[in-house]
Amino acid sequence: MSLKIQNIIPQIQAEFVGNNSTVSIDTISIDSRSLQNGSQTLFFALVGSNNDAHVYIKDLIEKGVQNFVVTHIPEGCEAKANFLVVRNTLEALQEFAAYYRGLFHFPIIGLTGSNGKTIVKEWLNFLLSPDYNIIRSPKSYNSQVGVPLSVLAINEQHNLGIFEAGISTGSEMEKLKPIIKPTIGILTNIGSAHDEGFTSLEEKIKEKMLLFEDSEVLIYQKNEIVDSFISKKAKAFTWSFDSKDADVFVFSAAIKNDSTTIQYRYKGDSFELTIPFQDKASIENAISCLMVLLYFKYEGKTIQNRMELLYPVEMRLKVKNGINNCSIIDDSYSSDFQSLKIALDFLESQNKRQKKTLILSDIFQSGLSNGELYSKVSQLIVSNKITRVIGIGETISSFENKFTNCVTFKNTEAFISSFDDLNFSNETILIKGARTFHFEEIVALLEEKTHETVLEINLNAISHNLNFFKSKLKPKTKIMVMVKAFGYGSGGLEIAKLLEHHKVDYLGVAFADEGISLKNGGIHLPIMVLNPETTSFAAIIQHQLEPEIYSLKGLCAFLKIAEQKKLKHFPIHIKLDTGMHRLGFENNTIDDLIATLKGNQTVQVKSILSHMATSDDLEHKDFAHSQIDLFENLSLKLMTELQIKPIRHILNTSGISNYPDSQYDMVRLGIGLYGVSNDHEEQKYLENVGTLKSVISQIRTISAGESVGYGRRFMAEKPTKIATIPIGYADGISRGWGNGVGFVTIKNEKATILGSICMDMLMVDVTGIDCKEGDAAIIFGESPSVNYIAQKLNTIPYEILTSISQRVKRVFYRE
């Protein structure tokens, strides 16, 4: 992209306020945290329900960004940059993308549907890439923001586009249609996703079909409802398992071993192809791809040769523990310029080490000459402060001189041969490669070897849940997020990095060592220690943590150390006991507290807080209000007597939802971040964060009268197929969950836990489940949920989450 601001202004109906309207723009950004923002970036300050990017403009100007699309010019930024003032910045981004799309006239494939969009897009890219220079949506960029960002990556060398559109409510598709403007439409499977946004299936289909109003052709599985909404401009190109009237009639899909042979009839002739999948969704997605190849008039032999090479699509960026204290970001299945930019931003949001290494294969389908491409890659690497580059491939090797501290290898085998000489340790490593380079072999070399039980943490879900609770807050209410107890079992440092990326105001930990670990991991956010022991005060001061002070004895002990170190205005947090009767100053000690603090310059009361005992139980609403009233009175007395204006906070997760009028200056978000609510209605809006999964180690069939496990607590009454799974009470699974009480999920079916749970294993009944050794077993996640397990065990979700042993490997990923 290279456009002058003066040409953009009329397209988004902007008022220009600045000094230079002839400056060229080569990058569009909406993320103030990206290190890729520069002097030729046009930054769109988007405004959401819980975030306003205008507040970051001053910082961006200081970092060299000079061009902004805004609804208003922030105070203090006047005359310091170029501003394009519009009514709505999101609409401006969409209008600009629609204008930019109109500058190009090659075929565009547009996809929508409930399921399969991203997989079909990635498979089409693979199938068509030998013949086209393709631009496609990176990852699953299919939203109101993702679609324009995808389209704005088009350049002059592309000759085919593949973009997906996702919607969750009515009126959204009309915004995306002019941005994608597909010439070829594909409607994938219509399922139940986002049903809550529509009054009926018909309404959902009608809304999705808007995308194809001006398309030349629409490819879809023949369906009477879809037939009724198809545009008169579009030619229907249909397929079916049932209707011989469809253009392509699939009369057989025979599953054998790990593949499926599809037989179909097209234009009176019969054809056959094989795909390396067995599941229904993959078969339907493959047929959608087949339809495109037929429309493009590919020969049957070419179709067969390419489709038998289809592969599972990995849509997630994963963070894994590596050897020698390394962190691994696994993006080993794609290599294109747009997804590299996304992966580098993700690297920065998850980086825990000073050293950052990029292992990068040749990049394909950039639409740029190799010289221009690797110059741009070099600029990205410099802006993201990558310490070391390892290039793998013939092409990137020839441009080694464009990178500093770079070593290259002609292929993956050469890299593996030199692996021991590369000395990987204490660094974050982004592994980014095209499938043909088999970078999964590199991941296997670098990944820390642990047993096959993992707790997968969905970082998108954490972001979603954070934003859900932020949407309940008043504009000026700050937010502290609790990352104590190893991030409620999810991994403290990784979660803290994400929260810092989201610019939360405070982090909360229980003990000093948790905070020290975060500080040593590179966290810069202020961290409050809720339960500091007197013996930890020196370490708290050394690591710039902020202690909660809950007693006169503790206060005097801290003041003594602070005075010895000649501190001034060191931040502390005063805890009041308003009825929890756990920790805190009570009414009868407030005067002594005031007397001790009055005139003291060593410390600064950063906040005053209390904790509610019944915020989650509305039967005790009167008691909760009495706590809030007492907090108001005691905190006001402190503020008046000490003449201070600290942050005040009393609400936890349940309090945020149940007592919105008592937000004060800050709230403390805990278990809600991790996708757990005690309110059934609220739970519907939260996303599952952690999925604990293992694998089937062994399967056997026992006869009637035989037993399973210690104590013979399960006796088979009939032949029973038993699967053993390598996870037990040493991993945090309660023994009370055994003996028929609990279950795991295998192949989307419940497998009841039989007999006693062992230290390292449990056994389940898989009679009637089509499974094999090595198949995944979900211990908790969507089903069973931690709420369900807690209810059955008569405990709380906190205990389930925090019990998971640290020997269980955490894998962090972003969709």
Side-chain angles (χ1 to χ4, degrees):
M1 172 187 293
S2 182
L3 292 173
K4 294 192 181 299
I5 278 189
Q6 62 190 15
N7 296 327
I8 297 173
I9 293 169
Q11 306 306 326
I12 60 175
Q13 304 171 61
E15 175 192 355
F16 179 75
V17 180
N19 302 317
N20 185 2
S21 65
T22 62
V23 67
S24 292
I25 297 300
D26 64 9
T27 307
I28 303 300
S29 177
I30 62 166
D31 189 351
S32 63
R33 301 158 298 195
S34 175
L35 297 180
Q36 298 158 29
N37 294 324
S39 60
Q40 291 186 289
T41 296
L42 180 59
F43 182 85
F44 283 76
L46 300 186
V47 179
S49 58
N50 43 53
N51 193 32
D52 184 350
H54 289 79
V55 302
Y56 308 125
I57 288 177
K58 187 175 181 180
D59 290 340
L60 285 166
I61 291 173
E62 291 176 359
K63 293 175 182 177
V65 181
Q66 281 293 294
N67 309 289
F68 300 91
V69 178
V70 297
T71 59
H72 63 278
I73 300 173
E75 186 177 346
C77 296
E78 300 87 349
K80 293 183 178 179
N82 295 319
F83 294 98
L84 283 68
V85 184
V86 299
R87 185 181 64 84
N88 181 298
T89 49
L90 174 57
E91 290 178 3
L93 176 66
Q94 294 169 335
E95 289 166 357
F96 177 45
Y99 157 72
Y100 189 74
R101 161 69 179 91
L103 300 178
F104 301 91
H105 303 288
F106 51 77
I108 297 285
I109 298 173
L111 302 102
T112 193
S114 301
N115 307 297
K117 299 184 293 293
T118 302
I119 292 172
V120 172
K121 178 198 66 186
E122 293 299 318
W123 281 356
L124 285 175
N125 176 68
F126 167 76
L127 294 165
L128 298 171
S129 59
D131 310 304
Y132 294 90
N133 199 346
I134 299 172
I135 176 70
R136 70 190 192 280
S137 311
K139 300 294 179 184
S140 53
Y141 268 41
N142 60 25
S143 67
Q144 297 291 301
V145 174
V147 169
L149 292 178
S150 300
V151 167
L152 288 167
I154 298 173
N155 66 43
E156 289 75 10
Q157 301 305 312
H158 293 124
N159 56 15
L160 178 65
I162 310 175
F163 300 108
E164 56 176 296
I167 58 171
S168 55
T169 63
S171 79
E172 289 185 337
M173 191 62 84
E174 63 182 354
K175 304 283 182 61
L176 301 182
K177 181 181 72 170
I179 302 172
I180 299 176
K181 200 177 181 182
T183 52
I184 300 165
I186 302 175
L187 183 67
T188 63
N189 177 274
I190 297 292
S192 59
H194 302 298
D195 272 358
E196 67 276 7
F198 303 93
T199 59
S200 64
L201 176 64
E202 288 79 6
E203 184 193 18
K204 181 160 71 169
I205 291 175
K206 181 180 180 181
E207 179 71 16
K208 290 180 181 293
M209 292 288 286
L210 288 176
L211 178 63
F212 310 123
E213 278 188 334
D214 300 314
S215 299
E216 298 169 2
V217 63
L218 174 60
I219 294 168
Y220 64 99
Q221 184 176 7
K222 193 166 181 59
N223 178 297
E224 289 184 1
I225 301 176
V226 176
D227 291 345
S228 66
F229 288 118
I230 191 168
S231 165
K232 294 179 181 178
K233 298 179 184 178
K235 169 190 171 186
F237 189 38
T238 61
W239 66 272
S240 178
F241 292 118
D242 307 309
S243 174
K244 294 181 180 179
D245 294 334
D247 296 290
V248 174
F249 174 54
V250 180
F251 57 86
S252 175
I255 296 171
K256 185 179 181 181
N257 297 326
D258 293 324
S259 63
T260 301
T261 298
I262 297 171
Q263 294 179 300
Y264 63 96
R265 191 167 293 116
Y266 175 55
K267 290 187 174 180
D269 292 324
S270 295
F271 301 89
E272 180 178 291
L273 62 88
T274 300
I275 59 171
F277 300 97
Q278 295 180 318
D279 60 289
K280 180 182 177 183
S282 293
I283 293 169
E284 290 186 3
N285 292 334
I287 294 171
S288 291
C289 294
L290 164 67
M291 297 295 288
V292 174
L293 296 179
L294 291 173
Y295 184 73
F296 278 33
K297 295 181 170 56
Y298 278 83
E299 295 181 352
K301 186 175 181 180
T302 302
I303 293 174
Q304 168 60 53
N305 289 343
R306 293 188 186 179
M307 292 197 68
E308 68 183 6
L309 298 176
L310 290 177
Y311 52 87
V313 174
E314 179 56 73
M315 293 182 284
R316 310 186 300 188
L317 282 161
K318 294 181 179 178
V319 184
K320 305 174 178 178
N321 291 328
I323 61 173
N324 304 326
N325 199 33
C326 291
S327 293
I328 310 299
I329 298 178
D330 180 3
D331 194 13
S332 55
Y333 295 99
S334 67
S335 182
D336 59 86
F337 187 65
Q338 286 304 111
S339 66
L340 174 61
K341 294 168 73 174
I342 294 168
L344 285 169
D345 277 340
F346 182 66
L347 164 64
E348 189 58 30
S349 74
Q350 281 298 301
N351 182 41
K352 300 182 287 185
R353 312 281 190 272
Q354 279 192 323
K355 290 166 60 180
K356 295 185 284 188
T357 293
L358 170 64
I359 301 177
L360 181 67
S361 77
D362 288 346
I363 295 175
F364 302 124
Q365 293 185 297
S366 67
L368 305 169
S369 68
N370 283 333
E372 186 179 0
L373 168 64
Y374 288 102
S375 291
K376 285 182 173 290
V377 172
S378 176
Q379 292 168 14
L380 280 182
I381 288 168
V382 170
S383 64
N384 280 272
K385 302 174 183 173
I386 301 299
T387 314
R388 173 170 61 157
V389 178
I390 298 173
I392 300 177
E394 297 277 354
T395 307
I396 197 170
S397 294
S398 66
F399 289 95
E400 181 178 348
N401 62 345
K402 287 188 177 290
F403 307 99
T404 57
N405 195 19
C406 175
V407 60
T408 59
F409 300 91
K410 297 296 184 184
N411 52 49
T412 303
E413 290 74 18
F415 167 88
I416 292 172
S417 297
S418 302
F419 181 79
D420 292 337
D421 300 324
L422 293 170
N423 299 318
F424 292 100
S425 66
N426 297 301
E427 56 195 300
T428 302
I429 306 166
L430 171 60
I431 301 173
K432 185 90 176 102
R435 286 193 60 83
T436 53
F437 286 89
H438 300 288
F439 272 17
E440 66 272 13
E441 297 175 23
I442 296 176
V443 174
L445 279 174
L446 285 167
E447 189 175 2
E448 184 180 48
K449 304 304 181 284
T450 55
H451 69 310
E452 293 174 289
T453 297
V454 298
L455 178 59
E456 291 187 344
I457 309 299
N458 184 340
L459 297 175
N460 294 80
I462 286 182
S463 298
H464 168 87
N465 296 338
L466 174 66
N467 287 331
F468 171 76
F469 284 101
K470 284 175 71 175
S471 70
K472 294 173 173 283
L473 304 182
K474 298 168 186 175
K476 294 186 178 180
T477 302
K478 299 179 185 295
I479 188 165
M480 174 188 288
V481 180
M482 311 310 295
V483 290
K484 61 182 181 177
F486 195 51
Y488 287 64
S490 297
L493 181 55
E494 290 80 5
I495 302 301
K497 288 294 295 184
L498 179 63
L499 296 171
E500 188 163 61
H501 195 62
H502 279 295
K503 299 181 183 290
V504 302
D505 300 285
Y506 259 92
L507 298 178
V509 298
F511 300 105
D513 58 348
E514 295 175 316
I516 291 169
S517 176
L518 295 181
K519 287 293 186 181
N520 288 339
I523 297 298
H524 301 291
L525 284 173
I527 300 173
M528 177 178 156
V529 183
L530 281 81
N531 306 321
E533 296 148 322
T534 305
T535 54
S536 68
F537 283 161
I540 284 174
I541 292 169
Q542 177 187 347
H543 292 277
Q544 294 295 298
L545 303 173
E546 302 180 15
E548 174 189 287
I549 302 296
Y550 49 81
S551 69
L552 282 172
K553 179 183 177 182
L555 175 60
C556 291
F558 188 82
L559 288 175
K560 183 178 179 180
I561 295 175
E563 288 164 2
Q564 289 172 354
K565 295 182 177 293
K566 298 180 180 179
L567 300 181
K568 194 170 184 179
H569 303 307
F570 193 92
I572 64 172
H573 302 261
I574 299 297
K575 175 72 168 288
L576 303 178
D577 181 0
T578 57
M580 181 78 168
H581 295 329
R582 189 171 64 178
L583 293 174
F585 291 92
E586 295 182 276
N587 192 13
N588 59 6
T589 59
I590 292 295
D591 290 338
D592 290 335
L593 170 63
I594 292 169
T596 305
L597 287 174
K598 187 167 283 189
N600 191 300
Q601 299 296 306
T602 308
V603 296
Q604 175 193 5
V605 178
K606 192 76 175 182
S607 84
I608 302 173
L609 67 146
S610 189
H611 193 64
M612 298 177 70
T614 62
S615 63
D616 60 340
D617 188 348
L618 294 179
E619 287 188 10
H620 296 284
K621 201 169 186 177
D622 290 342
F623 181 77
H625 281 298
S626 73
Q627 281 198 271
I628 294 168
D629 292 342
L630 183 55
F631 176 68
E632 170 69 20
N633 294 333
L634 294 183
S635 61
L636 194 59
K637 182 176 182 179
L638 276 173
M639 293 165 63
T640 303
E641 293 287 339
L642 296 175
Q643 295 186 331
I644 57 174
K645 290 186 177 180
I647 299 167
R648 291 194 287 175
H649 48 113
I650 189 172
L651 298 184
N652 58 2
T653 297
S654 297
I656 292 171
S657 300
N658 292 333
Y659 299 95
D661 294 333
S662 301
Q663 292 178 11
Y664 285 97
D665 306 297
M666 186 162 71
V667 296
R668 301 188 301 271
L669 177 60
I671 194 88
L673 181 79
Y674 305 95
V676 177
S677 172
N678 69 324
D679 182 277
H680 180 70
E681 286 302 311
E682 185 172 81
Q683 186 67 54
K684 296 176 182 178
Y685 295 97
L686 299 180
E687 294 185 358
N688 179 65
V689 168
T691 300
L692 181 62
K693 59 171 58 173
S694 191
V695 298
I696 298 174
S697 296
Q698 191 175 39
I699 295 176
R700 63 172 51 77
T701 298
I702 63 173
S703 303
E706 292 190 287
S707 62
V708 172
Y710 287 117
R712 305 192 74 195
R713 287 190 172 86
F714 173 78
M715 302 290 293
E717 297 178 356
K718 58 184 179 181
T720 306
K721 188 164 71 168
I722 306 293
T724 300
I725 299 168
I727 185 172
Y729 60 77
D731 299 293
I733 307 303
S734 170
R735 292 185 77 244
W737 190 232
N739 295 311
V741 175
F743 68 91
V744 303
T745 299
I746 297 173
K747 296 282 189 173
N748 295 318
E749 296 189 51
K750 291 182 179 181
T752 302
I753 299 172
L754 302 179
S756 298
I757 291 174
C758 308
M759 179 180 287
D760 307 302
M761 285 170 277
L762 56 82
M763 288 69 75
V764 299
D765 183 355
V766 292
T767 306
I769 299 177
D770 182 16
C771 60
K772 60 184 182 298
E773 292 173 1
D775 282 347
I778 306 300
I779 314 303
F780 67 62
E782 295 288 350
S783 177
S785 68
V786 292
N787 275 336
Y788 178 86
I789 296 173
Q791 181 184 14
K792 290 295 182 182
L793 294 179
N794 195 30
T795 184
I796 56 176
Y798 297 77
E799 183 176 350
I800 307 301
L801 289 173
T802 58
S803 294
I804 303 306
S805 167
Q806 292 194 35
R807 83 173 185 178
V808 174
K809 179 173 64 176
R810 271 68 173 173
V811 174
F812 300 86
Y813 69 90
R814 177 169 289 172
E815 298 284 2

